[in-house]
Amino acid sequence: MKNVSKVPIWFMRQAGRYLPEYMKIRSKNSDFLQLCFNPELASEISLQPIKRFDLDFIILFSDILVIPHALGQNVDFLKNHGPSLNSINSKNDINYMDFNKCLRKISNIFETIKILHAKKGNKNLIGFCGGPFTVLNYMIEGGTSKTHSKIKKFVKDNKNEASDLMKIITELSIEYLKKQIESGANYIQIFESWAGLLERDEYIDFIVKPNQQISEEIKEFSKDTKIIHFPRGSRKDYKIFAEEVKCDVLSLDLTYPKELPSILREKGITVQGNLDPQELLNDGERVEEKTKEVLDKFKKNNHIFNLSHGILPKTKISNIEKVIKVVRDYETSK
Ligand code: CP3
């Protein structure tokens, strides 16, 4: 008999603006961060996509920018503009001396996870943080940037200061993840969304080493917690990342090198990804075809179906339903 296995599925940004039930809560809560710090509402939002689509993973509703907030930076989410932070130049501009105090500022998030843990049933529960360099990028740029000129200059001209800040962000993120695990997360994902900005030498220092430190310390703390890494935009450096950083799951975007899936298979690393979220804006049968393509591409790997980046606000719910149906009907034999 064939050993048939199903491909589990969730979507990055599965809770968010494409869902009317999210917009209903959001319209009554204009302060996005305060919404993240409201355990009752944040847990309800985390469960909205599960109730609607019966996905296999719940992801905590929060944001990667709670870490700069915990460090005393001003973080605002402006309507139609994205995040806005008072940009900093040095570790003297933040409060990093007492991590417990920093974590107390965001401790409501752990309450959200406890609620989700109590309600999770047979689903997996994902906690998360930003990759240290991605968080540093927002702290230095002061928000979303097209050119990333400030962070690139900062890393080149102020390498020592940049390393000091990276150390603080990395160590605080590790403590933050440990508390998420203690509260009930059985998976954690590290969103290194801006891994693609750096040259090779900088990639090793600012992407590989900090992510490696997170993995090592988290595995030492809790060997059963599964770690998902997402070094978005790494292109050929995805291979170095997979070689150097312990991961249970590697999330792939559209830039990964062709030979990567077979390397991951040999290393026993699960592939996550990688349908282009732009595809979910189209009409017609293309969504089904593209979903099937992704399933076929990774059929020899252990695979968690996902996108190559987060769901876009204009995504049609009917397209999400189409993707899920194709994945649920697909059987692989390993
Ligand atoms: O995936 C999920 O459903 C869990 C929740 C989650 C959010 N942000 C909620 C959110 C997660 C995992 C994130 C991660 C995040 N946040 C990243 C890494 C992933 C990526 O997209 O690259 C980054 C870079 C951020 C920072 C951030 N937060 C930006 C740049 C923005 C504005 C752009 C945008 O997409 O709106 C946010 C806001 C944000 N985070 C929203 C949500 C649901 C929209 C807020 C709103 O309701 O107005």
Side-chain angles (χ1 to χ4, degrees):
M1 216 172 68
K2 254 198 332 187
N3 195 2
V4 173
S5 66
K6 291 276 185 186
V7 176
I9 178 169
W10 70 283
F11 297 91
M12 290 189 268
R13 292 287 181 95
Q14 62 192 19
R17 286 160 296 181
Y18 74 107
L19 287 178
E21 57 270 38
Y22 172 76
M23 291 313 288
K24 194 170 165 200
I25 295 180
R26 182 74 169 97
S27 66
K28 291 185 226 144
N29 293 272
S30 58
D31 187 331
F32 176 73
L33 266 193
Q34 285 317 310
L35 188 53
C36 295
F37 298 144
N38 180 327
E40 218 162 284
L41 291 178
S43 59
E44 187 181 336
I45 293 170
S46 310
L47 292 170
Q48 284 175 343
I50 310 303
K51 291 196 173 129
R52 198 186 254 274
F53 305 119
D54 194 28
L55 298 160
D56 298 306
F57 292 77
I58 306 163
I59 181 163
L60 164 73
F61 178 77
S62 177
D63 198 85
I64 66 167
L65 298 179
V66 299
I67 288 293
H69 169 84
L71 287 165
Q73 224 177 333
N74 264 324
V75 182
D76 277 317
F77 286 83
L78 309 173
K79 222 176 163 142
N80 304 322
H81 181 78
S84 167
L85 297 79
N86 66 302
S87 128
I88 60 158
N89 299 302
S90 135
K91 62 181 173 305
N92 298 326
D93 298 332
I94 54 170
N95 303 320
Y96 61 90
M97 297 302 266
D98 185 344
F99 279 177
N100 284 329
K101 208 166 150 190
C102 294
L103 291 175
R104 271 202 298 279
K105 276 186 82 172
I106 57 173
S107 61
N108 277 11
I109 292 172
F110 312 128
E111 300 309 311
T112 306
I113 297 183
K114 285 177 197 161
I115 296 174
L116 291 171
H117 182 255
K119 296 187 173 177
K120 80 192 244 309
N122 62 352
K123 309 289 183 193
N124 291 297
L125 176 54
I126 308 175
F128 71 90
C129 70
F133 177 72
T134 296
V135 173
L136 181 69
N137 165 74
Y138 284 98
M139 291 173 76
I140 300 294
E141 292 287 344
T144 304
S145 164
K146 285 210 169 74
T147 58
H148 298 272
S149 53
K150 278 195 197 169
I151 182 72
K152 286 182 183 166
K153 189 167 162 19
F154 189 71
V155 163
K156 285 215 155 49
D157 296 353
N158 297 309
K159 191 148 192 190
N160 287 341
E161 193 69 51
S163 304
D164 287 353
L165 279 164
M166 285 291 292
K167 186 164 180 283
I168 294 163
I169 298 165
T170 306
E171 286 174 4
L172 180 59
S173 299
I174 290 168
E175 295 313 308
Y176 174 52
L177 290 173
K178 286 182 185 170
K179 290 236 186 282
Q180 295 189 48
I181 293 165
E182 273 174 354
S183 306
N186 67 327
Y187 271 76
I188 54 156
Q189 175 154 334
I190 297 120
F191 288 88
E192 193 70 280
S193 300
W194 296 111
L197 289 182
L198 297 173
E199 310 290 330
R200 172 65 58 85
D201 286 355
E202 293 167 346
Y203 185 88
I204 302 293
D205 286 345
F206 287 85
I207 306 295
V208 171
K209 286 184 184 164
N211 279 280
Q212 190 178 32
Q213 186 185 342
I214 294 176
S215 269
E216 275 168 11
E217 292 193 29
I218 292 301
K219 280 289 175 194
E220 208 170 293
F221 177 74
S222 166
K223 66 175 178 13
D224 295 332
T225 303
K226 301 277 187 219
I227 306 180
I228 309 173
H229 278 283
F230 183 34
R232 190 175 73 94
S234 288
R235 301 184 302 273
K236 59 185 184 324
D237 290 343
Y238 255 113
K239 282 204 290 197
I240 298 183
F241 193 97
E243 216 45 69
E244 300 294 331
V245 181
K246 245 193 220 124
C247 14
D248 297 292
V249 183
L250 191 62
S251 203
L252 305 187
D253 61 12
L254 305 172
T255 74
Y256 74 87
K258 259 215 223 58
E259 57 282 24
L260 190 65
S262 66
I263 296 172
L264 297 180
R265 197 154 57 236
E266 272 161 34
K267 293 175 88 63
I269 297 173
T270 297
V271 168
Q272 178 172 278
N274 79 340
L275 181 66
D276 184 350
Q278 297 285 343
E279 293 294 343
L280 301 174
L281 305 178
N282 299 329
D283 279 316
E285 279 161 27
R286 203 180 141 94
V287 171
E288 278 106 339
E289 283 163 27
K290 289 285 160 185
T291 303
K292 181 85 179 359
E293 261 175 39
V294 170
L295 287 163
D296 286 343
K297 202 163 53 176
F298 300 128
K299 68 173 182 239
K300 291 196 203 134
N301 289 81
N302 282 326
H303 182 204
I304 298 172
F305 193 94
N306 206 313
L307 305 178
S308 60
H309 200 191
I311 293 184
L312 298 161
K314 292 213 164 68
T315 298
K316 288 195 188 134
I317 288 172
S318 58
N319 277 340
I320 298 286
E321 288 166 345
K322 283 182 191 170
V323 172
I324 295 168
K325 170 130 184 35
V326 174
V327 174
R328 293 295 185 214
D329 289 347
Y330 190 86
E331 290 181 344
T332 57
S333 47
K334 295 231 166 59

